């Protein structure tokens, strides 16, 4: 795993971080989408924390969202975000975390670096998912792959 110096420093400090894991959709078991994504989150968090001498025993990742399309799976999870407030998570100002991109490379390696260009979009998407899903708990799953049922928001928050 290739981890940028900035990402390592933030992990060592224990700063609240959001990760966007981008990987081929074929790596997600379509029969158990949420369980497969949770497994990826757990493995990614263990690798990140292990790279800086920390453990998932002391810091559990918070799996927030999965967006699955034909070619890619986009998984969002947080580490060290202890001030997360479910009641106000639909507000973009309460979701403004630095986003570090984890990209699955053809070699099987993962490259990790901060991506300031994605921060606004990823954080806004998480806020939108909180609004659209109302009081339903995370992780939020949007399967937009061919043959999947249409995405329906049954219980949006009242603004």
């Amino acid at each position: 795993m290739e981890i940028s110096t900035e990402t390592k420093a933030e992990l060592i400090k224990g700063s609240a971080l959001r990760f966007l894991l981008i990987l081929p959709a074929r790596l997600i078991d379509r029969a158990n989408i949420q369980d497969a994504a949770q497994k990826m989150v757990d493995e990614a968090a263990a690798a990140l924390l292990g790279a800086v001498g920390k453990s998932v025993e002391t810091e559990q990742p918070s799996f927030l969202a999965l967006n699955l399309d034909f070619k890619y799976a986009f998984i969002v999870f947080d580490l060290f975000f202890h001030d997360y407030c479910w009641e106000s998570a639909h507000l973009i100002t309460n979701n403004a975390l630095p986003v570090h991109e984890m990209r699955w490379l053809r070699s099987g390696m993962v490259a990790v670096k901060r991506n300031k260009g994605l921060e606004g979009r990823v954080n806004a998407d998480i806020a939108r998912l909180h609004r659209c899903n109302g009081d339903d708990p995370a992780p939020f799953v949007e399967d937009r792959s061919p043959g999947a049922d249409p995405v329906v928001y049954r219980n949006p928050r009242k603004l």
Side-chain angles (χ1 to χ4, degrees), residues 30 36 41 88 100-101 116 133 135 140 149 158-159:
R30 300 291 174 140
V41 167
S88 62
H100 294 256
E101 179 183 1
K116 292 180 182 181
N133 287 282
D135 292 327
F140 306 119
D149 292 333
K158 310 292 187 264
L159 296 179

Side-chain angles (χ1 to χ4, degrees), residues 15-143:
S15 302
L17 302 173
R18 181 157 289 158
F19 290 90
L20 172 63
L21 175 58
I22 303 170
L23 58 142
R26 63 180 161 70
L27 297 177
I28 299 292
D29 178 6
R30 300 291 174 140
N32 298 305
I33 292 173
Q34 192 165 330
D35 291 341
Q38 180 68 59
K39 183 179 177 202
M40 292 292 200
V41 167
D42 293 341
E43 289 175 7
L48 286 166
L49 294 168
V52 295
K54 296 187 179 189
S55 166
V56 290
E57 300 298 322
T58 57
E59 183 58 45
Q60 289 291 315
S62 178
F63 174 24
L64 294 177
L66 164 67
N67 188 318
L68 191 62
D69 68 18
F70 176 72
K71 194 169 182 178
Y72 294 103
F74 303 91
I75 301 172
V76 178
F77 67 96
D78 291 347
L79 282 174
F80 307 113
F81 193 18
H82 304 292
D83 295 334
Y84 191 82
C85 177
W86 185 261
E87 288 79 29
S88 62
H90 63 286
L91 302 171
I92 188 66
T93 55
N94 294 357
N95 261 307
L97 289 180
V99 173
H100 294 256
E101 179 183 1
M102 300 180 72
R103 187 170 291 272
W104 188 275
L105 305 175
R106 289 187 187 270
S107 64
M109 293 288 291
V110 175
V112 185
K113 64 180 174 50
R114 184 168 181 188
N115 189 330
K116 292 180 182 181
L118 282 176
E119 284 178 10
R121 179 173 180 184
V122 170
N123 290 327
D125 282 349
I126 295 301
R128 177 188 59 82
L129 288 168
H130 275 285
R131 279 192 308 279
C132 292
N133 287 282
D135 292 327
D136 294 342
F140 306 119
V141 176
E142 291 186 333
D143 185 356

